[in-house]
Amino acid sequence: MQQFPPLKILVVDDIAFNRDLIAGYFYQTSHQLFFAGDGQEAIQIAKVQLPDLIFLDLRMPCMDGRDTALFLKQDEQTKHIAIVMLTASSKVEDEYDLKFLCEGFLRKPVSCTQLVAEMKKIFPIISAATTPKLEIAELDNFTQTKVISRQPIRLDELLDKLNQEAESNWLKLRQTLAISELEKFVARLNVWAEEHQCQLLGEYTQKLTQQIDDFDWDTIPETIDQFTIICDALK
C-alpha cells in the first residue's frame, strides 16, 4: 500500500468483519482510515473529513450504497471523492446501473490484490525510488505472508480444526484433486475464516475459489500444497 501517496480513506460497511478485513490491508501504512456502519454515518464523516477514497458497501440497511453514493456525488462538497463500490453480487447489470456513481467495483470477499488493482486505476503510483521499503509481504505470496490484522478469535480452536483438516481431508485432496472435494474443502475453510475472523485464511480461500472458478489447473495443485504454510503462519 505504500506505493500510493498518503490517502484519507473511508470504509463503509454494516458488517464489522468486512471493515476489519480492509483495515488489515492498510495496517502500518501512511494512510488514514475512517469507518462507518451505514450510509448516513458515511455522509457525516465524508463531509467533515473529505476523504480521497470511499470503499462503499452496496447492500446496507437504512441507507444503502446506491443512495449514499448518489447523495455524495450530487453534493458540491463531496462530489469529487472517489468511490469504489463493494458488492457480493455477480450481476453485471449492477455495475452497469451504478457506474455513473462510482469509480470502481470490488466483489466480496475483497482480496488485497484486487483492492490494490482498483486503487491503481484512480491514484498515481509513487516511484520505486521514493517508496519506503515494505516490511509486509504481499498477501498473495503465501510463502512469505505475515499476518497483518488482529489475531483471529479463538485461535487455538481454529488451529485444531486446521490441523485435523491437514491430517485427514487435505492429504486425500492432494492426491485426487476431485472438484467436489475441492469445493467442500473451500467451503469449510471459508466458514472457519468468518467464524474466527481470520483474514489470512479468508485470503487463501478467496485465491483458491478464483482458481477453481477459472479452471486454473496449472496452479490449483500448488495452492492446495500451500495449505500447511497457512497453518504454520497462524501459529
Side-chain angles (χ1 to χ4, degrees), residues 159-222:
L159 289 174
D160 285 341
K161 294 175 181 177
L162 296 178
N163 288 334
Q164 291 177 18
E165 187 74 19
E167 294 171 0
S168 55
N169 300 312
W170 176 73
L171 292 174
K172 180 180 178 182
L173 186 60
R174 291 182 68 198
Q175 298 174 346
T176 65
L177 291 177
I179 187 66
S180 60
E181 295 303 317
L182 275 171
E183 291 173 344
K184 292 177 183 178
F185 175 71
V186 170
R188 285 192 297 271
L189 299 189
N190 198 45
V191 168
W192 296 339
E194 293 187 8
E195 178 184 353
H196 295 275
Q197 298 184 14
C198 181
Q199 174 186 324
L200 186 59
L201 186 60
E203 278 287 315
Y204 177 75
T205 58
Q206 169 72 14
K207 179 178 181 180
L208 187 53
T209 298
Q210 188 63 56
Q211 291 173 356
I212 293 172
D213 290 344
D214 294 340
F215 296 99
D216 188 359
W217 292 103
D218 289 334
T219 55
I220 286 175
E222 179 183 354

Side-chain angles (χ1 to χ4, degrees), residues 53-70:
L53 173 64
I54 299 177
F55 289 114
L56 180 60
D57 185 25
L58 178 59
R59 309 293 182 193
M60 293 184 295
C62 300
M63 189 175 192
D64 64 13
R66 179 188 178 88
D67 290 343
T68 303
L70 184 61

Side-chain angles (χ1 to χ4, degrees), residues 24-171:
Y25 299 149
F26 291 94
Y27 181 66
Q28 291 187 343
T29 68
S30 56
H31 308 295
Q32 185 178 8
L33 267 65
F34 305 90
F35 302 93
D38 58 57
Q40 293 178 340
E41 185 182 9
I43 290 172
Q44 294 175 355
I45 294 175
K47 282 180 165 292
V48 173
Q49 299 296 338
L50 296 177
D52 303 292
L53 173 64
I54 299 177
F55 289 114
L56 180 60
D57 185 25
L58 178 59
R59 309 293 182 193
M60 293 184 295
C62 300
M63 189 175 192
D64 64 13
R66 179 188 178 88
D67 290 343
T68 303
L70 184 61
F71 183 95
L72 292 171
K73 290 301 185 182
Q74 291 179 340
D75 189 285
E76 286 294 324
Q77 189 180 9
T78 57
K79 67 180 183 179
H80 67 283
I81 300 172
I83 297 176
V84 173
M85 202 72 77
L86 310 178
T87 174
S89 171
S90 59
K91 296 180 181 179
V92 177
E93 54 265 31
D94 282 348
E95 294 188 12
Y96 181 80
D97 291 341
L98 295 169
K99 65 180 182 180
F100 71 97
L101 288 176
C102 62
E103 281 65 40
F105 290 89
L106 283 172
R107 300 198 185 284
K108 295 181 179 181
V110 178
S111 74
C112 185
T113 301
Q114 292 170 330
L115 186 145
V116 170
E118 208 62 36
M119 289 179 64
K120 285 182 177 179
K121 299 176 184 177
I122 304 172
F123 300 104
I125 302 297
I126 300 176
S127 66
T130 59
T131 303
K133 183 179 179 180
L134 292 177
E135 297 179 358
I136 302 171
E138 285 294 330
L139 286 173
D140 272 353
N141 188 350
F142 286 105
T143 60
Q144 300 177 13
T145 295
K146 298 181 181 178
V147 181
I148 63 175
S149 64
R150 60 187 176 84
Q151 189 179 56
I153 61 175
R154 306 193 310 278
L155 179 57
D156 290 343
E157 180 183 329
L158 174 60
L159 289 174
D160 285 341
K161 294 175 181 177
L162 296 178
N163 288 334
Q164 291 177 18
E165 187 74 19
E167 294 171 0
S168 55
N169 300 312
W170 176 73
L171 292 174

